[in-house]
Every structure is written in structure tokens, then in C-alpha cells.
Amino acid sequence: EAQVTQNPRYLITVTGKKLTVTCSQNMNHEYMSWYRQDPGLGLRQIYYSMNVEVTDKGDVPEGYKVSRKEKRNFPLILESPSPNQTSLYFCASSLIGGANEKLFFGSGTQLSVL
Amino acid sequence: AQKITQTQPGMFVQEKEAVTLDCTYDTSDPSYGLFWYKQPSSGEMIFLIYQGSYDQQNATEGRYSLNFQKARKSANLVISASQLGDSAMYFCAMRGPPGGGSNYKLTFGKGTLLTVNP
């Protein structure tokens, strides 16, 4: 089954404790991206990647890191989480260009930073 | 810059009736894609329908259709024969061309919360 797999689904942590949210897709997509969703602010892009070893900042990259060492994986790293990073996070992937450019989303990760 | 506007924070519809969710957009790119996603209370984002800016026909996917009016820059979602399971948040979104100034990201509207009444 074609899918984007995110883990964990729920995560509660404390300020300053490094964490990683994993994202993997099995559709051979070039494009991968991370979004955060906050009430009243909608979905905002954090980082994106157009291919292996090619990553760039989105609209709200501060406090986050990503890497794209393999085409299928795009982990999101919070080196020193803070309470303002409490949010619902989505990983997404797609082909690039054409009629097949719809974004497939993972199930989301609800992160709470205490 | 791309912008998506959804003016209906909430909508109510009776089961089995049709409902239209409004979406207007703004972009300077001649090539773009328009999407609708559904987010039920469980939180996942479910793709519903896609319309390309150069598509001549309105997109349809089962009970979903997209009323695309390019000159008016609108891309309304029509759900026919509403079901209780259609109760969810609905997002309109736009994507510019790869290599464009938008980082190829999906720009979302703020969403419309649809409630289907029995």
C-alpha cells in the first residue's frame, strides 16, 4: 500500500530533550516536506526536500533540523524542544510536477513539549 | 505570493443534501494546482480532489466535484449526497510550479468545518 509513515503518533517530552520524528514513504517520491498545524494559523511548512541531499527552509524552520540521506526517509529533528513547538506535525511527499503532484500526508504526530 | 481564502469557518448540511464549500485563490503563476483535503477529527489529512490550472474540465472524484472558475479565481468544492462521515474540516490548498517562488509547498486556507446533520 502506498503510504507515508510517521512515528510516533503521539509524543510528550520536556524542554531541551532532543527528539526525532521519523518519516518514510514507499512511493519513490522526490519531494518531501514537513508541516506544522496550529489552531488559527493553519498548516505552515517547516522544511522541504526536492531530492536526496537537497533540503531547504520553509516558512518556520527555526528550532528544527532535517536530513535526506535516502530518498524514502526525511526525519525531523528538534535539538532542544521548547513549549512553542507543541503542535501537530505532518510529513508529506509527492512526485514533482504534472498531474500527479498531489501531496500524500502521514498520519501526523501530536507533540507536546512541557 | 500565493494566497488561499476560505470564507466559511463552519457549514451545516442535512444528510443526503449537496453542499458547496467556497475557496478563492490568488497567485501570479500561470501554472498551478488546486487541491482539497479533508481532515476528520482523528487528524489525518485525506486528499479529495485535484484541479490543474490548465485543465479544461472540472475535476470530479466520486461524490466530490470541483467547480473551477479560473477568471474568478475560485475553486469551490461540491459534495453531493452528504453523509454523516463527511463531517470534518475541509482545506483548500494551492501549489505553484516546481522551481517557482513558493518553495513548491502547498499553501492552505484556514479551513471550513462541515457538520452533517442526520
Side-chain angles (χ1 to χ4, degrees), chain B residues 13-75:
Chain B
V13 66
Q14 288 298 121
E15 196 178 5
K16 300 180 185 175
E17 292 185 351
V19 63
T20 297
L21 306 183
D22 294 341
C23 173
T24 58
Y25 62 91
D26 193 21
T27 180
S28 56
D29 289 315
S31 174
Y32 51 88
L34 294 158
F35 303 78
W36 279 90
Y37 283 85
K38 172 185 178 181
Q39 187 177 40
S41 57
S42 52
E44 69 267 31
M45 296 291 285
I46 302 168
F47 166 77
L48 295 179
I49 197 166
Y50 165 83
Q51 179 84 42
S53 58
Y54 293 119
D55 293 344
Q56 296 295 315
Q57 308 249 8
N58 286 344
T60 60
E61 290 280 355
R63 294 186 299 110
Y64 304 107
S65 60
L66 199 152
N67 184 359
F68 180 45
Q69 298 188 42
K70 194 170 183 177
R72 296 181 61 189
K73 294 189 174 179
S74 75

Side-chain angles (χ1 to χ4, degrees), chain A residues 10-52:
Chain A
Y10 300 95
L11 180 58
I12 301 174
T13 189
V14 295
T15 299
K17 186 176 182 181
K18 180 179 178 179
L19 66 90
T20 298
V21 185
T22 63
C23 175
S24 179
Q25 50 92 7
N26 62 0
M27 296 167 279
N28 202 35
H29 286 166
E30 301 96 345
Y31 181 90
M32 297 187 75
S33 180
W34 279 100
Y35 287 81
R36 61 178 287 174
Q37 184 179 16
D38 301 289
L41 298 177
L43 283 93
R44 296 177 291 169
Q45 190 189 50
I46 303 170
Y47 268 94
Y48 68 101
S49 169
M50 299 290 274
N51 214 327
V52 176

